[in-house]
Amino acid sequence: MKRPNLETLLIHHGYEAKEYGGSLTPPLFQTSTYTFETAKQGELSFRGESNQYIYSRLGNPTVQLLEERMAVLEGGADALAFGSGMAAVSTVLLSLLKTGDHIVCSKGLYGCTYGLLEMLQERFGITHTLCDMKSENDLLHASTLNTKVVFVETPINPTMQIIDLQIVVSAAKKQGWITVVDNTFCSPYLQNPLALGCDVVLHSATKYICGHGDVVAGIAVCKTAALAECMRPMRKDTGGIMSPFDAWLLLRGLKTLAVRMDRHSANAIKVATFLKEHPAVENVYYPFSTDHPDYHIATKQMKQGAGVISFTIHGDMEKAQAVMDRLELISIAVSLGDAETLIQHPATMTHAVVPKTIREQMGIHDNLLRLSVGLEACEDIVKDLEKALG
Ligand SMILES: *Cc1c(COP(=O)(O)O)cnc(C)c1O
């Protein structure tokens, strides 16, 4: 039988109601530990010779269902769930790297990922180089003999530049580097880096996978079982696993991922078009706008543009902040991918930890705003922006 489509897998994969008394929704195993029938069973479990659950930091049925579903959605062999997106980023990097190793990363990263890379460099001697990644040559130039990992965000947060994953994979395959892609801005519905040859895909599940702004969580999906096995001990001993209740909420969120992403994307393209025509707006960065410099790469590797738009306004930081303060429907908040439209000022909020000179290099200017277009009526979102832009 042909494999079901992604929209169907989001709702059904890995769950059989008949195994759980017919319960339509998967049960929540809200337990920290599991009882053994005999001492011998306990001994065998700890030796890894039984597949009985032991303790929820090592594994939990609700969390495992989410992992299995995410692995299939991204086309990986296995997945690991984490207590936050940053727990996923840090555990993946700590599993793959040791002192002396080097990372090539996209010029433009989530603020805390940048903060982590700086800490790894200063405290543990794991170095990194920021790279444009426009060509294989760029990647080679940024690499050293000790490069082990290429870390990519695409679209880049918050400037919405796109990195051509085909170029990254081609260079990485020749050099033996492991490619790790932060796919948070797309979700598995819009972009599948593993299908393009990448090795590990990460998500802040806090964003589109949850979709309702009520969970902080992360996921890493690995192309091979061996990669997942190399990360499991690090997750067990650093301890950043996802809670069963959060996994249960994410399983619920996943069911509507496809319809939500369709609506986020449809709203965002309309809002981007409105912003582009507004005289108070200087530049608009949305990957599926035909005049976006990376439009052809975006449409090659993404199904739709998702909900995040960045734009600069004519004027300085005070002007940008004043626009935010005049909004009524749209909330001032970091995070993205929620039903509510959110706006934030990267230079003073999500990317405040990045030194100003590097921020400017990344294209994060003081007049840049990042909008996460929600699921409200597009007309109402546009009306709110129109009033605030004056
Ligand atoms: C939010 C975010 C993260 C961090 O995830 P948390 O769940 O907040 O820990 C990492 N990468 C990107 C692109 C994000 O947007």
Side-chain angles (χ1 to χ4, degrees):
M1 208 178 87
K2 180 182 169 289
R3 198 180 94 155
N5 291 297
L6 193 126
E7 290 85 342
T8 307
L9 293 169
L10 285 167
I11 299 167
H12 293 283
H13 182 75
Y15 182 64
E16 290 286 349
K18 63 176 183 285
E19 289 170 18
Y20 297 98
S23 175
L24 177 69
T25 55
L28 164 59
F29 287 85
Q30 187 71 16
T31 186
S32 56
T33 196
Y34 305 83
T35 57
F36 302 113
E37 271 177 50
T38 61
K40 196 74 196 167
Q41 197 191 14
E43 181 190 337
L44 290 176
S45 299
F46 271 82
R47 260 203 253 140
E49 291 168 19
S50 144
N51 52 13
Q52 136 115 39
Y53 291 96
I54 297 173
Y55 183 66
S56 280
R57 180 158 41 73
L58 317 187
N60 170 284
T62 310
V63 175
Q64 204 166 313
L65 175 59
L66 176 72
E67 291 174 337
E68 284 169 20
R69 200 166 284 182
M70 280 300 301
V72 163
L73 296 173
E74 284 288 12
D78 206 350
L80 288 88
F82 293 91
S84 71
M86 286 316 302
V89 175
S90 57
T91 306
V92 165
L93 292 180
L94 290 173
S95 304
L96 298 175
L97 296 155
K98 60 178 187 334
T99 298
D101 289 344
H102 175 260
I103 313 170
V104 176
C105 49
S106 48
K107 195 181 272 178
L109 289 166
Y110 182 71
C112 294
T113 301
Y114 178 80
L116 174 71
L117 289 174
E118 286 287 293
M119 259 191 289
L120 291 178
Q121 185 154 296
E122 279 163 32
R123 314 255 328 259
F124 302 102
I126 299 167
T127 55
H128 64 267
T129 305
L130 299 172
C131 176
D132 277 329
M133 303 190 180
K134 298 277 185 220
S135 67
E136 286 190 42
N137 241 348
D138 284 350
L139 283 140
L140 284 177
H141 273 298
S143 70
T144 74
L145 289 175
N146 296 320
T147 300
K148 294 281 157 44
V149 166
V150 185
F151 190 98
V152 181
E153 250 180 64
T154 181
I156 291 181
N157 176 25
T159 52
M160 306 311 288
Q161 290 152 273
I162 304 293
I163 287 175
D164 190 333
L165 291 174
Q166 236 171 8
I167 290 176
V168 175
V169 166
S170 173
K173 286 238 150 84
K174 287 176 203 153
Q175 306 297 324
W177 304 326
I178 296 170
T179 36
V180 180
V181 179
D182 184 333
N183 203 25
T184 300
F185 273 44
C186 289
S187 89
Y189 180 58
L190 298 185
Q191 177 171 272
N192 298 117
L194 299 186
L196 298 173
C198 299
D199 300 298
V200 181
V201 166
L202 301 167
H203 290 276
S204 167
T206 313
K207 316 291 168 54
Y208 287 116
I209 290 172
C210 171
H212 295 76
D214 46 17
V215 171
V216 171
I219 300 259
V221 184
C222 300
K223 180 134 185 153
T224 65
L227 273 170
E229 281 320 304
C230 119
M231 292 173 193
R232 231 169 260 288
M234 185 59 78
R235 181 182 65 172
K236 171 170 77 72
D237 295 347
T238 55
I241 201 171
M242 184 185 289
S243 88
F245 184 49
D246 287 349
W248 188 84
L249 285 170
L250 294 175
L251 284 163
R252 185 167 74 164
L254 273 182
K255 291 186 192 185
T256 56
L257 182 72
V259 286
R260 286 187 287 107
M261 294 314 288
D262 286 343
R263 178 64 171 268
H264 280 299
S265 302
N267 274 357
I269 190 85
K270 287 186 211 146
V271 172
T273 306
F274 158 77
L275 288 170
K276 226 175 307 170
E277 286 163 5
H278 199 286
V281 174
E282 183 186 55
N283 287 308
V284 178
Y285 307 102
Y286 185 66
F288 266 50
S289 290
T290 49
D291 60 352
H292 186 288
D294 303 326
Y295 174 74
H296 292 287
I297 310 170
T299 50
K300 184 175 70 167
Q301 64 193 27
M302 295 164 66
K303 277 204 213 80
Q304 298 174 59
V308 180
I309 302 171
S310 287
F311 61 101
T312 51
I313 55 139
H314 289 293
D316 53 11
M317 184 166 100
E318 283 68 34
K319 272 261 174 63
Q321 289 180 323
V323 170
M324 293 165 79
D325 288 340
R326 281 194 294 270
L327 292 162
E328 283 174 21
L329 175 70
I330 299 170
S331 304
I332 301 173
V334 296
S335 199
L336 59 106
D338 296 330
E340 296 83 357
T341 299
L342 306 176
I343 195 163
Q344 66 112 352
H345 183 243
T348 56
M349 295 172 74
T350 50
H351 290 71
V353 294
V354 181
K356 188 169 167 82
T357 48
I358 296 178
R359 235 173 28 226
E360 292 283 338
Q361 263 183 46
M362 290 177 167
I364 307 171
H365 304 293
D366 285 351
N367 60 346
L368 181 82
L369 293 170
R370 189 190 78 187
L371 190 68
S372 168
V373 178
L375 304 176
E376 302 97 336
C378 194
E379 192 189 329
D380 295 329
I381 300 168
V382 166
K383 217 186 278 171
D384 202 34
L385 285 165
E386 194 162 28
K387 197 181 67 26
L389 288 165

